[in-house]
Amino acid sequence: MKRVYVNEQWCLGCHLCEYNCAFANSGERDMVKALKGRAIRPRIRVEGDGEITYAVSCRHCREPLCVRSCISGALSAENGTVRIDHDKCVGCLTCVLVCPYGAVQPGPDGAAMKCELCLANACGEPACAAGCPNRAIVYEEREEETA
Amino acid sequence: MKEYVIIGGGAAGVSCVEGIRSRDPEGKITLVSAEPVSNYGRPLISYYLEGKTGLDRMSWRGADFYERMRVDALHGVRAERLDPEARRVTLSGGAELPYDALCVCAGSDPFSPRFEGIETVEKRFSFTTLADALALEQAVDGDTRVLIVGAGFIGLKCAEGLRDRAKSVTVCDLAPRAMSASLDGDSSPILERHLEKCGIRLMLGNTVTRFDGGTALMQSGDTVGFDVLVIAIGVRPNTSLVSDAGGAVGRGITVNEKMETSLPRVWAAGDCTESRELTTGETGVLAILPNASMQGRCAGTNMAGGDAVFDKGIRMNSIGFFGLHIMSAGSCTDPVFTQVTETGCKKLFARDGVLTGFILMGDVSRAGIYTSLIRERTPLDTIDFDAVCREPSLLPFGRAYRAKKLGGAV
Ligand SMILES: Cc1cc2nc3c(=O)[nH]c(=O)nc-3n(C[C@H](O)[C@H](O)[C@H](O)COP(=O)(O)OP(=O)(O)OC[C@H]3O[C@@H](n4cnc5c(N)ncnc54)[C@H](O)[C@@H]3O)c2cc1C
C-alpha cells in the first residue's frame, strides 16, 4: 500500500507542503485566488525549532484510534485511508483527544479536518509529497513490517 | 460454521461484529437489540436536539452495516436469560438462540434515587436513548421550562440540546461543581460561568427534596417551577444476564484483558463491564464510547479465535458546550503543570515518572499527544517534558521516535 513517509533529514522547513495542501483542498483552480490574503488551513503542518523541521500529517494508522473513538461514525478507514465524513461530524473533537500525532484539527466550521491523501480532491495524490522540492515527503509503496 | 450471538447493538456490539468479521467472514452472527434502532451514535442525541445532526446522519457504521456484515439483527427483542451450560439465550417472546460464542454488550440503564412525589410529575424523562430525545423533542416548545437533575456531562449535554427549544433550562446537582466527576476546582468554575453566560441556570450543591406536580422543592428552600423534568443522575451497568447465570460481576460484569467473563464462551464489552483502569490500576466502569468500541472489537476478534488484548482503558472525554471545548483524561491527582485563565485552563498530572492525566479547556489542540503519553506510559525522563508541557508537539520526543512514527507505517 502506498503511504506518505517523512524523511526528516531532508526537510528544508520551506512550508511548501502546507501551501500545496491548502490549495489542493480549497476546491479552487487558481492557487493565487485560493491562498492570497487568506489564513491558510493546511492539514499538514511543518513543526520543529530553528534547527530541526519536519512535516506532520495523518499517518493513516492500521489500528486508527480516531476511527474507533469517533462518537458519530464520521471517521472511517477504507483500503488503508482514514477518511472523515464532514456531514456526519458534530465537532466533538474526540479524534483530537486520541490522535497520538496531533494530526487532526478542528476545521473552519468546527468539524474535524485531516489529511485524506488528496484522493478525493482534484490533485488525486498527496499534494504535499508531489510538491516537496527535496523529497522530504514521499508517497510510495514500501515493504511494511506486519503489525 | 460457528454461531455467534451478540446482545446489544451499541458501539460495543457493533464493534464486536467488526472484530468477528475481521477473522471469520463465514460464521453466523445474530445480534439482539432491545432498542428499536441500534448502530447509532448514542452521544449524538443531544446534537440531534440542537439541530447539529439529523436522523439520516446518525447511523454509526452506516445504514447498510448489518447487511454488509451479514448479521441477522433482531430489533425490539430482549435477551431474557442465559444458560451457559446449554449455550443458549432465551429471548423475550420465548425463542431460544444457541451459540458457540456469546458477547454481552448490554450497556447501562439510567438510574435515580427515589424522589418523594416523583409520581406527581407528569412529564419526566431520562436522556440516554434516541427514543428519549424524540420524546423530548415532542414535549418541549418555546413555552417550556425544563428542569434537569444532574450536572454531569449527560445532564449538561441535554441542557445544551434543549436551550434553543425551551423557554428556560435549569440544571441542579447535589455536587457543588459542574461535571464534578471529570473536572476539578480550577476548571469547573470556568465551565459554570460559560454555561450561565449562555443562558443555563445552575443550582449546584443543591438538589430536589420533593416534587409536587410542576414544582420542585429544593434543599436550599427555594422552589423551581417546571413543565418538563429530565433525570440525568447516572447510569448503572446491565449485569443481570451474567450474574443470574452465575457469572462474576462487581459494579459491572467482570472481564479480563481479553474481554472474557468468568463464564465459558461468554465475552462482554462496553458500558456493562468493569475493567482495570490504566493510570490507577483500579477496577472500574469506563462508560465512554471509545472504550466500548475497542473492547467490543477485542472481544469479537477473540470470539473468532484471535488473540487480542485491550489493556489500555483510561477515562477520557472530549466534549463541548456552546463552543467551549473541554477535554479530560486519566486520573487527575498530582498536578505538575497548571495554567488557568478566565476562559481556559490547562492542567497536567503525573505520578511515578509518567503522565497520568490532564484537563484542557479552551485550547485543546493536539491533546492526543498527551493522551498518548498516558496510554503508552512513556517515561517522562526520556522526552523533553518541560517542552511538551508548554506545547504538545513531536519535537520533544526526539529524532528516533519521529523516524519510526512519521517515516514508517504505524
Ligand atoms: C447523552 C449522552 C452523551 C454521551 N456523550 C459521550 C461522549 O461525548 N463521549 C463518549 O465517549 N461517550 C459518551 N456517552 C457514553 C456512550 O454513549 C457510551 O459509553 C456508549 O454508548 C456505550 O456503548 P455500549 O455499546 O457499551 O452500550 P450502549 O450504547 O448503551 O448499548 C447497549 C444496547 O444494549 C441493549 N440491551 C441492553 N440489555 C439488553 C438485553 N437484555 N437484550 C437485548 N438488548 C439489550 C440496549 O437497549 C442498548 O441498545 C454519552 C452517553 C449519553 C447517554
Side-chain angles (χ1 to χ4, degrees):
Chain A
M1 206 197 85
K2 274 182 140 184
R3 289 179 170 276
V4 168
Y5 296 98
V6 171
N7 301 315
E8 180 171 319
Q9 67 276 26
W10 301 121
C11 179
L12 305 168
C14 69
H15 295 258
L16 205 54
C17 50
E18 295 178 354
Y19 289 94
N20 283 320
C21 173
F23 174 47
N25 289 301
S26 68
E28 298 278 356
R29 292 172 69 177
D30 179 57
M31 190 161 188
V32 176
K33 207 169 145 207
L35 305 182
K36 192 161 190 298
R38 296 193 187 174
I40 64 163
R41 285 190 176 260
R43 297 151 194 217
I44 188 165
R45 289 288 167 99
V46 175
E47 62 176 46
D49 55 17
E51 276 163 53
I52 304 169
T53 54
Y54 51 89
V56 183
S57 60
C58 173
R59 301 307 300 148
H60 299 276
C61 304
R62 287 177 286 202
E63 285 291 327
L65 290 172
C66 58
V67 174
R68 307 271 184 269
S69 304
C70 178
I71 65 166
S72 69
L75 282 154
S76 61
E78 230 172 286
N79 304 323
T81 308
V82 174
R83 308 200 49 185
I84 182 159
D85 179 337
H86 181 269
D87 293 338
K88 281 181 88 171
C89 176
V90 291
C92 76
L93 305 186
T94 302
C95 47
V96 174
L97 173 67
V98 299
C99 174
Y101 312 109
V104 193
Q105 12 161 355
D109 60 356
M113 185 176 87
K114 63 180 288 303
C115 160
E116 300 182 271
L117 298 175
C118 290
L119 298 182
N121 66 35
C123 198
E125 60 165 9
C128 54
C132 181
N134 211 29
R135 288 186 52 77
I137 307 170
V138 293
Y139 180 57
E140 61 189 26
E141 189 101 37
R142 287 187 189 172
E143 204 151 315
E144 284 179 13
E145 70 284 17
T146 41
Chain B
M1 197 171 63
K2 214 161 159 174
E3 292 192 48
Y4 304 93
V5 172
I6 299 171
I7 297 169
V14 167
S15 301
C16 181
V17 170
E18 291 181 324
I20 294 170
R21 283 292 178 242
S22 72
R23 294 186 56 93
D24 180 355
E26 302 292 324
K28 177 173 166 13
I29 304 179
T30 309
L31 184 145
V32 187
S33 164
E35 273 186 86
V37 233
S38 67
N39 176 34
Y40 65 91
R42 184 170 308 286
L44 296 181
I45 61 175
S46 72
Y47 295 89
Y48 172 77
L49 289 176
E50 214 187 341
K52 284 195 173 166
T53 188
L55 294 177
D56 57 333
R57 285 174 283 161
M58 290 170 74
S59 169
W60 196 55
R61 285 290 182 257
D64 61 348
F65 177 78
Y66 293 127
E67 201 182 320
R68 250 189 304 128
M69 292 285 163
R70 294 174 314 285
V71 172
D72 192 8
L74 311 176
H75 284 101
V77 177
R78 290 194 71 84
E80 301 283 7
R81 210 170 47 251
L82 166 59
D83 182 345
E85 306 244 300
R87 285 197 262 133
R88 243 186 347 237
V89 181
T90 308
L91 306 181
S92 53
E96 294 193 328
L97 277 178
Y99 65 82
D100 298 305
L102 172 83
C103 194
V104 180
C105 304
S108 50
D109 278 341
F111 85 95
S112 163
R114 247 205 64 80
F115 286 103
E116 197 188 327
I118 187 82
E119 65 288 343
T120 66
V121 178
E122 191 193 333
K123 293 183 177 169
R124 55 191 145 103
F125 302 87
S126 328
F127 194 59
T128 60
T129 64
L130 183 56
D132 292 334
L134 296 173
L136 273 167
E137 182 181 35
Q138 291 299 315
V140 173
D141 64 25
D143 295 325
T144 312
R145 298 160 303 162
V146 178
L147 173 63
I148 299 172
V149 182
F153 73 87
I154 293 183
L156 292 178
K157 268 311 215 189
C158 183
E160 181 185 45
L162 289 176
R163 184 197 63 175
D164 288 346
R165 293 176 176 269
K167 182 175 176 199
S168 68
V169 179
T170 303
V171 184
C172 69
D173 199 308
L174 192 54
R177 293 187 284 105
M179 271 179 64
S180 59
S182 41
L183 297 183
D184 66 358
D186 282 332
S187 47
S188 52
I190 302 170
L191 170 62
E192 289 156 22
R193 282 197 297 273
H194 180 71
L195 289 169
E196 291 193 316
K197 210 176 73 199
C198 294
I200 304 296
R201 179 177 175 216
L202 296 175
M203 301 181 90
L204 300 171
N206 197 356
T207 192
V208 179
T209 50
R210 185 158 53 85
F211 288 104
D212 185 5
T215 304
L217 184 70
M218 307 299 293
Q219 223 169 38
S220 59
D222 293 312
T223 54
V224 179
F226 63 91
D227 307 297
V228 161
L229 174 70
V230 180
I231 304 268
I233 292 178
V235 292
R236 189 174 278 159
N238 289 323
T239 58
S240 60
L241 273 174
V242 169
S243 60
D244 290 351
V249 306
R251 285 197 51 223
I253 298 168
T254 306
V255 291
N256 61 17
E257 74 284 350
K258 296 176 172 180
M259 300 301 124
E260 295 164 333
T261 69
S262 65
L263 300 172
R265 298 182 190 241
V266 179
W267 284 256
D271 280 14
C272 62
T273 67
E274 61 174 29
S275 55
R276 192 174 167 279
E277 198 275 343
L278 183 71
T279 64
T280 58
E282 287 162 15
T283 298
V285 179
L286 301 174
I288 50 168
L289 187 138
N291 192 61
S293 133
M294 289 189 249
Q295 287 191 337
R297 193 176 175 94
C298 173
T301 306
N302 292 338
M303 288 161 77
D307 196 17
V309 162
F310 178 68
D311 56 1
K312 292 199 170 146
I314 57 170
R315 276 171 229 291
M316 59 178 177
N317 205 350
S318 174
I319 202 157
F321 298 102
F322 307 109
L324 174 67
H325 280 290
I326 304 174
M327 292 189 184
S328 64
S331 45
C332 299
T333 48
D334 307 73
V336 288
F337 183 91
T338 302
Q339 208 173 52
V340 183
T341 66
E342 264 298 294
T343 54
C345 103
K346 173 171 179 175
K347 288 186 86 167
L348 304 176
F349 303 82
R351 208 173 43 243
D352 303 331
V354 294
L355 194 69
T356 48
F358 64 81
I359 299 171
L360 301 174
M361 279 172 122
D363 182 7
V364 295
S365 53
R366 310 192 80 188
I369 292 176
Y370 294 136
T371 310
S372 175
L373 285 173
I374 300 175
R375 277 171 58 92
E376 304 305 327
R377 299 187 71 76
T378 308
L380 297 179
D381 58 8
T382 61
I383 60 170
D384 182 350
F385 184 53
D386 286 337
V388 161
C389 283
R390 285 193 303 275
E391 191 189 348
S393 104
L394 300 182
L395 191 64
F397 287 75
R399 195 179 282 269
Y401 177 87
R402 291 192 300 274
K404 194 163 147 220
K405 302 294 184 180
L406 306 179
V410 291

